[in-house]
Every structure is written in structure tokens, then in C-alpha cells.
Amino acid sequence: MDHLSQVELPVVKPTAPPIDAPGPLNGIRVVELAHEFTAFAGRLLADGGADVILVEPPEGAAQRNHGPFAEDQPGPERSLSWWAENRSKRSVVADLATAEGRQLVADLIASADLVLESTE
């Protein structure tokens, strides 16, 4: 018998799944109440195929103001940390100071399998 390192093994190249293939968390709905401490966890769930709905206040999530910024120009749509940690998510604005905003969040939570929030 040949030494194991000399035995020729078949080469199998895995085929990547199609881009639109559902992830292992497909069908799971997550409501994330925007906070910098929940952003990365939400991103991991979204990247795994969960439907993550990010709830932001009318002024936008505080993380939108965190640098570094694209081309060193601050702005709510230019935060690189915001882009990195909130990709693959959907977003909705809810003003919790209003009855309509509170009802929107209550309805979202009622439809969710998981809620992400942080109290810091």
C-alpha cells in the first residue's frame, strides 16, 4: 500500500449557490430597533437570509453619524460603518412619539420571529 500522501484523491470543486438562493435563515423575520450595538448581529442574520427590518427614528439612526465617512465627507448616507453593518436589511422610519409610529412598530414586532434591541 502506498503512503497516504501519495494516494491520488479526486478533485471536486464545489459549485457556489446561485446569488438569489435563499440562505439558511430564509423565512425568518427580524425586527431590529436601530442601535449601534445591534447592527452587526442584524447584519449577520440578514446575510444568512433572514428578512431584517431596521426601525429608525425620523432623524435617522445615530450610527449614521459615526465615521469614518466616504471621501472624508460626513453625512447620514456616507458613514462607512453604517454601510458595512446595515447591508442586506430593509429599513423603515417610525416616530415613537406618535401613536402611528408606535402602532407601526407594534405591528412589525407582532409579525417577527425575533426582535433585536439594545439598552446600551
Side-chain angles (χ1 to χ4, degrees):
M1 177 178 194
D2 293 330
H3 187 272
L4 200 54
S5 65
Q6 296 172 341
V7 174
E8 191 170 326
L9 299 173
V11 176
V12 178
K13 295 186 179 183
T15 303
I19 301 237
D20 60 350
L25 299 178
N26 185 51
I28 302 295
R29 173 171 281 176
V30 179
V31 172
E32 178 185 340
L33 303 178
H35 191 281
E36 60 199 85
F37 294 157
T38 61
F40 185 69
R43 184 191 109 188
L44 292 177
L45 293 168
D47 287 348
D51 177 21
V52 179
I53 302 169
L54 179 67
V55 180
E56 292 188 71
E59 66 275 9
Q63 189 183 14
R64 288 180 176 274
N65 298 312
H66 295 185
F69 297 99
E71 298 175 351
D72 291 326
Q73 299 295 317
E77 299 298 327
R78 303 183 65 79
S79 169
L80 299 179
S81 70
W82 173 260
W83 289 353
E85 293 186 353
N86 291 286
R87 68 179 188 212
S88 305
K89 299 177 189 178
R90 296 191 293 153
S91 180
V92 65
V93 173
D95 186 351
L96 297 179
T98 67
E100 295 83 12
R102 290 189 299 272
Q103 187 61 53
L104 172 64
V105 173
D107 291 345
L108 284 171
I109 289 173
S111 73
D113 298 295
L114 178 69
V115 176
L116 287 177
E117 71 169 327
S118 174
T119 59
E120 296 183 42

